[in-house]
Amino acid sequence: MSEPITASSPDGLATRPPDRPTAGGDARASAAMLLVCLIWGFNFSIMKVAFAAIPVLAFSALRFAAASAALGFVLWRRTGRLAMPAGAGRQLVLLGLIGNTAYQLAFMEGLAHTTASNSALILASVPTLVVLLGVILGVERPSAGMVAGVLSATLGVALVIAARGVAFDRRTLEGDLLTVTAAACWAGFTVAVRRLPKSITALEVTTFTTITGMPGLVLAGVPDLVRMHWGPVPAGAWAALGYASLVSLVLAYLIWNASVQRIGSNRTAIYLCVTPLVAVAAAWVLLGERPVPLQWAGAVLIIAGVLLSLPRVALPRGGGAG
């Protein structure tokens, strides 16, 4: 493509075109992105723990209300204003509805009805779906590696869904399909973010798409919020809510943005391949979700597909592998 491409994380951060990285900055960004992989990888299991005490939709409403308040405060502290960027209001509202309201409803309900491992592995195909959607819309030209990646990741997702028994566990199947829907919403959001004016900063896009996506999530959660008996909610569930809101949604977004600016969006996106491996390990340790052979096979195919479909990125002179 002729113009710089922005990127997005699986939880909603849009980023600006990167600055040229330095060797030291490259190493720091790599270490920071590994931390993000740990944050997002454990987030699946941590939210599953919270769901045992807080209904899914109530949890999502509280999570985005807290994240919106935090991001709004950060933007206000940095810029002194909370005004929507001129000329992009409709785009940001639409992105908020697709990338946060629709995505989060499908993601959270999917996670509530499937395993943390399945959810993480299916969402690992998002970069491949982004490439495929870009090809369909004429944003990118297909290549042999991209086609091979799409086929590999698609087969991997099919294995992940089949691993828990399509014919024997309809609840899991429902969650898997909802997670596939969430992945499709996120792919559409990511491609749409590329068309935003470059003058809009990453923090502005993140803040306003989070805020505009929040009302639908709060409205969906109102019935559960009203019915909830908050007294019995254990401290662990509140801690999980804090982690999912402030660490997974806010802190990880800021780290992602810094990484894209230092080492570039494509190289940053490659780190997403590590997240499902962390998630599977976390689910094994925290939830006792022992992976089955088909899941391991699906994981290999998904990760291989993601790597095959990502474009090659030239390293800066004097830089090592990120």
Side-chain angles (χ1 to χ4, degrees):
M1 295 178 60
S2 59
E3 62 182 21
I5 296 177
T6 57
S8 298
S9 76
D11 247 336
L13 178 66
T15 55
R16 294 179 297 177
D19 299 327
R20 183 174 180 175
T22 62
D26 185 65
R28 287 192 295 272
S30 296
M33 279 308 302
L34 290 176
L35 174 60
V36 170
C37 292
L38 288 174
I39 290 173
W40 284 338
F42 274 87
N43 192 50
F44 292 92
S45 295
I46 287 174
M47 288 197 297
K48 291 285 284 188
V49 171
F51 291 166
I54 303 176
V56 174
L57 295 180
F59 181 90
S60 183
L62 293 173
R63 184 189 186 208
F64 263 77
S68 295
L71 285 167
F73 176 76
V74 171
L75 179 62
W76 177 77
R77 288 285 294 178
R78 290 189 179 184
T79 66
R81 58 185 176 82
L82 283 174
M84 189 85 74
R90 291 183 179 179
Q91 290 172 283
L92 290 173
V93 170
L94 182 60
L95 286 173
L97 293 175
I98 295 174
N100 284 319
T101 306
Y103 167 75
Q104 287 292 333
L105 287 174
F107 166 63
M108 300 289 282
E109 285 292 335
L111 183 59
H113 293 89
T114 188
T115 65
S117 302
N118 275 23
S119 183
L121 292 172
I122 292 171
L123 288 176
S125 66
V126 164
T128 300
L129 291 175
V130 169
V131 173
L132 178 60
L133 185 58
V135 170
I136 293 174
L137 297 177
V139 177
E140 298 183 33
R141 298 178 61 183
S143 65
M146 185 278 297
V147 174
V150 169
L151 293 176
S152 177
T154 300
L155 178 58
V157 171
L159 289 180
V160 169
I161 294 176
R164 292 294 175 176
V166 172
F168 304 104
D169 193 346
R170 291 188 176 183
R171 290 187 61 192
T172 301
L173 176 61
E174 177 187 355
D176 292 333
L177 293 177
L178 282 170
T179 307
V180 170
T181 301
C185 288
W186 188 253
F189 172 84
T190 302
V191 173
V193 164
R194 295 177 180 179
R195 300 181 180 275
L196 286 173
K198 291 181 288 184
S199 60
I200 302 177
T201 68
L203 181 57
E204 287 176 322
V205 175
T206 304
T207 300
F208 290 118
T209 55
T210 300
I211 291 175
T212 57
M214 176 189 63
L217 296 172
V218 171
L219 286 175
V222 165
D224 286 339
L225 289 170
V226 172
R227 288 193 299 262
M228 269 291 294
H229 298 289
W230 297 100
V233 176
W238 288 115
L241 176 63
Y243 179 94
S245 305
L246 303 179
V247 180
S248 180
L249 275 181
V250 177
L251 176 61
Y253 285 3
L254 296 176
I255 296 174
W256 176 276
N257 182 40
S259 175
V260 172
Q261 292 176 338
R262 288 177 181 142
I263 67 174
S265 59
N266 292 327
R267 290 183 62 201
T268 299
I270 293 174
Y271 286 96
L272 294 177
C273 302
V274 180
T275 301
L277 300 181
V278 176
V280 170
W284 192 351
V285 173
L286 298 178
L287 304 178
E289 294 181 4
R290 182 179 297 273
V292 298
L294 274 182
Q295 280 187 299
W296 288 118
V300 171
L301 288 173
I302 290 173
I303 292 171
V306 171
L307 292 175
L308 283 170
S309 62
L310 289 174
R312 295 180 180 272
V313 180
L315 295 177
R317 293 181 181 179

